Amino acid sequence: MRSQLALRLRSSSFPLNAVPPSTSSTDYSTDLADLAAHILYRSPLPSDNHLPVFILNAAAFPDAKNIDYDALLPYVLARLPDEEELIGGQGYELVFFAGDSNEAATATKKGRPGWGWFFQAYHVLSRAMRKRLQKMYIVHEKNWIRILIEMFSTVVSPKFRKKIVHVSTLTGLALHIPIQDLLIPPSAYTTDRRLSKDIHVPYTAGRRAFAVQQPLPVSSSGVHRLPRVLREATSFVVMDSVIKTEGIFRISPRAMVIDILTEAYDRGQKFIVWREGNVALSYSHRREGVGEVWVGEMEQKEGYGLHMAAALIKQWYKELREPVFPQTCYMALEKFYGSYGDTKEPLKVSQLLDILSETDKWSPINKTSRKILTMHLLPLLSRVTEFQEWNQMTAYNLAVCFGPCLLHGPDPLEDVRIAGIISRILMAMIMHWKEDLAPKLDMDVCKFEESLRAPGAAQDQEDPPQDAEGSLEAQISGITLVDNDGSDEEVEQKPPLPPRPVASSEDVSRPGLSPAESFSSDTGIRRKPAPPIQSLPRYSVVVTERPFAMEHMPFYNTVPPDTLEHMPFYNTVPPETLEHMPFYNTVPPETLEHMPFYNTVPPEDLEHMPFYNTVPPETLEHSPFYNTVPPEEDIAPLGGLSEFSELPEYEPSSATATSPASMIARKPLPKS
């Protein structure tokens, strides 16, 4: 049944040819050969099993309405290993990026050939090509791809299913093979970014290209060299046919592509292709056991262009841990170079040398920033201005574009304020670089071009690994307390407090001690007695259950009367002396009668005033507040008092008995 279905699918169209015409034949098509090179190409490095890896890019498939797939198929199959190589070797692996390059919702959908064509294409493959296929990784799988694979596994070859590995993203592919060794097309990165924000690679080497600890790594020969990202991007920008492009460092590409390339360099992606028009640039990679490996052909739109390389250079300067012009130099730049912004006077060469010279101790920037300027930035921008007739990028335009990339302090407003001064300094450096600054700083064009060449040592082709940050050892050392003096002397400790006294049985049982002055039986600690009362109560009339005199109250007559005369505040001034004091009898009595406030109202007129004797005395007895409690019923039980009266006069007595007061009586009404 399966064989009959396969035969029907193969016979639904004309037979396909698996061998393309020879290059010397008139039937040979260069366009189809170039298109086939974009669809299927060999990755430069083999797999961990030492097998060749081929990349099949679905985004490069042409529209079936415009291209004849029957004529294209021989050119695509010709890029696979031939019979002799497959028979003598172990096989090959295939990575199929099934994502489409159409990103916009309104993009025209490409047409593809029918299902029968795929079955014919499979049977056109030789037996060695089908059997030597070890693994096939399908990334960013589409629905029609899954249906096609199921049909192959069911109808054509059931063993084909065991060779297929389905992964959804590049992160999943990194779990099976090292994606750093693959030549991944940019369309695959774009499709993966729509599915996942980041690409996580296990067992990374700890290399970084952006925001590194040491911006200029040291080569194996002991001299500073440019990092890989600056070396490759700058080499592509300064090419003669590329540097004339208008708008270098001014036109910004898509931010998503910048993030993709930044992540690729941080990940240590070995092969990145730069292409602008018909000009392409790619660096080789040296691997032990393989030798020098070069990148093959790739489609033009699958490479990264000039503006992407220029944006990547600016991104590297933006992400420096310490900017070229740090915040600590703002005050010095404003003091020595800020005045030129008002007078518009050009900066002198000597002033520029004070900033760039590595031997100058008073330069406002550090040595690393000076080396970056003299080794890469100023030679690059000076080279761009030599072609300003074509690219329209003068020294002023480049300074405006690059000035904000050289500073990123904590205060954005302060950065904006100082950006004008830095742009003015950078413009003067670009203008004087080739003729005045470069010869004095021992940096000519030949040294700049030499720094852009690929290093000869294999360990210098990649950036060095970064030290592990945030490790447990670093955290522990950050919080460990260490003596500044470094002495081994022990710190003298203060003696402990003396023990508390323990109460004895004699102290507790001593008579005459109040409970507050005695020891507690539970804790054995003497308690502090309560402080004495400093002020006396203000009440003078007390009614209790039995009559008693105020002399028996604890607060009355605290100080004996005979002792008051001997107290320092008693009779301090004799009475006869008071008459001679300035405030005593200041106004004579006979003068008071003539004063305006004395006897203003005659006594006989008081009776006729509205507020005098308003209530007659005989009416007071019937008032609700007068005699509320009958004396004979309620007052009698209160200690035998029959009426409200004042307490008896004080008579000295030696009685010291005290009795708590039960209540406080109201003050009696004055007698009429």
Side-chain angles (χ1 to χ4, degrees), residues 1 18 90 338 446 538 645 658:
M1 180 66 182
Q90 299 177 355
C446 297
R538 299 182 180 180
S645 62
T658 59

Side-chain angles (χ1 to χ4, degrees), residues 588-622:
E590 59 273 7
T591 310
L592 294 175
E593 298 180 358
H594 304 285
M595 296 185 72
F597 56 84
Y598 187 80
N599 283 339
T600 307
V601 182
E604 58 274 6
D605 295 337
L606 292 175
E607 299 181 357
H608 305 287
M609 295 186 73
F611 56 83
Y612 190 79
N613 283 338
T614 307
V615 182
E618 60 274 3
T619 312
L620 291 175
E621 298 181 358
H622 305 286

Side-chain angles (χ1 to χ4, degrees), residues 255-270:
M256 183 180 67
V257 184
I258 297 177
D259 295 340
I260 289 173
L261 266 184
T262 302
E263 189 180 40
Y265 274 103
D266 281 338
R267 187 172 58 250
Q269 201 73 28
K270 293 182 174 59

Side-chain angles (χ1 to χ4, degrees), residues 45 188 256 262 271 274 325 352 378 611 651:
L45 289 178
M256 183 180 67
T262 302
F271 303 103
W274 301 98
F325 292 93
L352 300 178
L378 293 180
F611 56 83
E651 296 180 1

